[in-house]
Amino acid sequence: MSILITGGSGFIGSHLADHLLDESNDKILVLDDFSTGDAGNLDHLDTDRVEVRDGDIRDAETVRETVGDADAVYHLAAAVGVQNIVENPLNSLKTNLEGTENVLEAAAEDRTPVFLASSSEVYGKSEDVPFSESDDAVYGPTTTTRWGYATAKATDEFLALAYADERDLPVVIGRYFNIVGPRQTGQYGMVIPTFVEQALAGEDLTVYGDGTQTRSFTHVADAVELTHELLENEDAHGEIFNVGAPDPTSINDLADRAIELTDSDSEITHVPFEKVYGEDFEEPDQREPDVTKLRETLGWTPEADLDRILTDVIDERTSEEVVAE
Ligand code: UDP
């Protein structure tokens, strides 16, 4: 079998490639434009079983050809990172809307199973935690760029469900909750690589806002295992699942723990959101998945284990430093 991972050179995509290579004899086909991905994320893989194609998911013909060569598709290619999305809204919207439509349309030709990577961002600024899949989403105005990302991801979900319904496409939607771990870059504003790098460098950790906002950090190893199991499970087809660990952490606590585990002298500094993301920025205060549906379907859910996540990221960053010296 040939399994396509769009965005396969990215953080989650490359971990999924590792996982699928370990768990099966399948060949992995990667489609990536290397905009936010990194070819280096795939360097360690056995090239006989991995084919990488450099292409843009906004190009329907490229997508049609590549999906045509695949027996299943994990659609992970997307514009990611709040900072990236706020700074490049047009590119983000087009990538997330046109790209997903191209993938679904191409997959519908042969009814090739698709996993669609969605986001906890689709719940918007709802405060009704924990979020379960059928809960209401709460968005702010269209003048606030962030909600364009949430709406695009929600539209991707509508599209996927419509393809499932009207074109009989086997599709599973996974809403990722702050997936973190080694290989994630801090370049697009993600908090864990940023804090770990700041703590290791002895710089102040930049906590945005008052730091009481919470996130449910989920280890990428758990996320890719769940992703694989969801697409393999026919009961999951046509359904939406939260992919995340319960028990959220506040950003203040995260910063404290990053300092402790790196044994750093760094201090914490609070930075107002508008200084980072500009005026009109809105921040979801709380984010926590209800994992009942995941447990009922797959029989397990990931554990919130912030120390394991931080230690894995710290180990990766410190071993890179040793290599670089
Ligand atoms: N954050 C922070 N300092 C940073 C980067 C992010 O305090 O240097 C905060 C951010 O405002 C958010 C949380 O950490 O409340 C998680 O941010 P991330 O961008 O990793 O994911 P998000 O949940 O915003 O998609």
Side-chain angles (χ1 to χ4, degrees), residues 82 178 189-191 194 206-208 213 215 251 273 283 287:
V82 176
N178 291 79
M190 276 77 156
V191 69
T194 304
T206 50
V207 171
Y208 300 162
Q213 70 271 31
R215 293 294 183 269
I251 303 304
F273 287 115
E283 172 76 353
R287 222 186 243 162

Side-chain angles (χ1 to χ4, degrees), residues 193-213:
T194 304
F195 281 2
V196 167
E197 283 169 19
Q198 288 169 336
L200 288 173
E203 295 165 4
D204 281 0
L205 271 65
T206 50
V207 171
Y208 300 162
D210 66 7
T212 57
Q213 70 271 31

